[in-house]
Amino acid sequence: MRLAMIGLGRMGANIARRLMRGGHEIVAFDRDLAAVATLDDEGAIGANSLAEVVAKLTTPRIFWVMLPAGVPTQSTVDELTELSEPGDIIIDGGNSFYKDDIKRGAAAKGKQLHYVDVGTSGGVWGLERGYCMMIGGDKETVDLLDPIFDTLAPGYGSIVRTAGRDATDDRAERGYIHAGPTGAGHFVKMVHNGIEYGLMQAYAEGFDILKGKSSERLAPEERFDINLTDVAEVWRRGSVISSWLLDLCAIGLVGDPMLEQFTGKVSDSGEGQWTIDAAMEEAVPAYVLSAALFARYRSRVDHTFGDKLLSAMRFGFGGHVEMPQ
């Protein structure tokens, strides 16, 4: 299939590359024309404006927008809506707020366009590992786009299939789902990121406790100088708390055992707060997720070793940088 990739940052460029590897044709656009030139050299069809993107696609046109949530995405979707023709498809693959998707979907429908929201997880590793996708939109459009999602998804891989699953629809096992109508994809991804905050915070606090065992505040006979790099490594192997996030902890610690390259001033991209907002709207207690979010806010005032580990994990999976000093 031929589609446009609009936004060629860490995620967008690699999504485009994976699609090209899978035989799809990519029309690439970014405000940074150097990024466009790089993809053009790798086989994409470069474009210097959204109008040129439209001209290089045939109906129904498919636009995949991969930009930061908020104004960058909204303004791009607005411009594409004006440039598009009935039947064209706008995909938001970033981390937009699901209520914004619902509004955009309604506006698109009013112009006989289709809007699909795709919560995309995989970070900078997705090019090789594939992307986990949670998709919102009407069934006919999502089905039309299936070759794209199938190419981006990880596939079965080496994960053992869950006993007892109905195999009539194996998309979840291959790494993507049609979560529901417009907004449902980003809603599921939002909660995914909220859970991510909680998991990361648990690792951060655990390693903080391990590191603190050598504190002079403890009785000498109760002090242990624990090798955190070895602990992270051994927990990766056969432990019930092994995970990709723990893998990233191990990678970060082996290269920088005291995590001196990080300040511990942990950033967030908004999904954690939106998850807590949803929990309050639904009257669902979310103790762990709330505490994890507030810990990130606290890290910007008072930093711990665990906060540095949080930053190391965020850098590991997404290339995310810390809050400015």
Side-chain angles (χ1 to χ4, degrees):
M1 300 180 79
R2 176 179 284 201
L3 68 151
M5 183 59 60
I6 300 167
L8 304 176
R10 292 185 298 266
M11 289 278 285
N14 279 346
I15 288 174
R17 291 183 177 106
R18 188 171 176 90
L19 288 170
M20 288 191 291
R21 288 182 183 181
H24 299 274
E25 293 182 301
I26 295 295
V27 176
F29 173 70
D30 193 283
R31 290 185 302 173
D32 180 359
L33 297 184
V36 176
T38 297
L39 263 292
D40 188 77
D41 289 343
E42 296 179 26
I45 303 164
N48 294 325
S49 68
L50 289 179
E52 189 176 344
V53 168
V54 171
K56 291 185 175 182
L57 295 172
T58 56
T59 56
R61 301 177 183 89
I62 303 170
F63 308 99
W64 186 302
V65 179
M66 205 68 190
L67 295 169
V71 174
T73 294
Q74 186 64 58
S75 61
T76 301
V77 169
D78 288 345
E79 187 172 351
L80 287 173
T81 299
E82 294 303 316
L83 292 169
S84 297
E85 297 178 1
D88 289 350
I89 302 167
I90 299 173
I91 303 169
D92 178 5
N95 279 327
S96 288
F97 186 38
Y98 77 97
K99 292 184 180 181
D100 291 338
D101 291 314
I102 295 171
K103 295 174 185 175
R104 292 174 192 151
K109 187 175 181 179
K111 298 205 172 210
Q112 300 180 60
L113 306 174
H114 303 283
Y115 181 90
V116 175
D117 54 289
V118 181
T120 311
S121 182
V124 296
W125 301 74
L127 175 60
E128 304 300 334
R129 289 169 55 107
Y131 297 92
C132 171
M133 290 166 290
M134 298 133 271
I135 305 159
D138 68 90
K139 183 180 185 303
E140 183 179 355
T141 304
V142 172
D143 288 348
L144 176 68
L145 298 171
D146 192 76
I148 294 171
F149 302 136
D150 184 55
T151 299
L152 291 174
Y156 289 115
S158 60
I159 299 174
V160 177
R161 299 184 74 177
T162 303
R165 273 192 62 87
D166 180 357
T168 55
D169 183 355
D170 68 345
R171 289 178 296 179
E173 295 176 283
R174 288 186 282 127
Y176 63 107
I177 61 169
H178 182 195
T182 303
H186 277 151
F187 182 80
V188 175
K189 176 57 161 53
M190 176 190 78
V191 177
H192 162 286
N193 283 23
I195 293 170
E196 177 187 290
Y197 281 34
L199 293 172
M200 293 171 67
Q201 187 63 31
Y203 285 125
E205 292 177 8
F207 277 92
D208 241 349
I209 294 168
L210 291 171
K211 183 176 182 294
K213 193 57 177 170
S214 63
S215 171
E216 294 183 357
R217 290 177 293 182
L218 300 175
E221 66 275 13
E222 295 181 1
R223 297 176 197 164
F224 304 145
D225 188 10
I226 296 172
N227 187 316
L228 303 183
T229 303
D230 283 353
V231 169
E233 190 63 34
V234 75
W235 282 352
R236 295 180 62 221
R237 304 173 187 280
S239 165
V240 297
I241 63 168
S242 60
S243 72
W244 186 35
L245 289 173
L246 183 59
D247 294 346
L248 296 175
C249 291
I251 292 169
L253 288 166
V254 77
D256 182 7
M258 299 309 296
L259 302 177
E260 292 177 348
Q261 65 177 304
F262 299 103
T263 65
K265 201 171 185 180
V266 188
S267 299
D268 74 279
S269 52
E271 297 90 345
Q273 179 180 328
W274 298 339
T275 301
I276 303 309
D277 289 343
M280 290 191 292
E281 290 174 357
E282 300 167 22
V284 174
Y287 305 108
V288 171
L289 307 190
S290 300
L293 176 64
F294 295 150
R296 293 198 178 191
Y297 296 160
R298 190 264 312 141
S299 77
R300 298 163 199 175
V301 179
D302 179 33
H303 325 308
T304 67
F305 181 81
D307 296 330
K308 293 183 178 182
L309 190 61
L310 286 174
S311 288
M313 282 186 274
R314 295 187 79 249
F315 181 78
F317 66 69
H320 302 296
V321 297
E322 294 184 303
M323 294 284 289
Q325 293 298 301

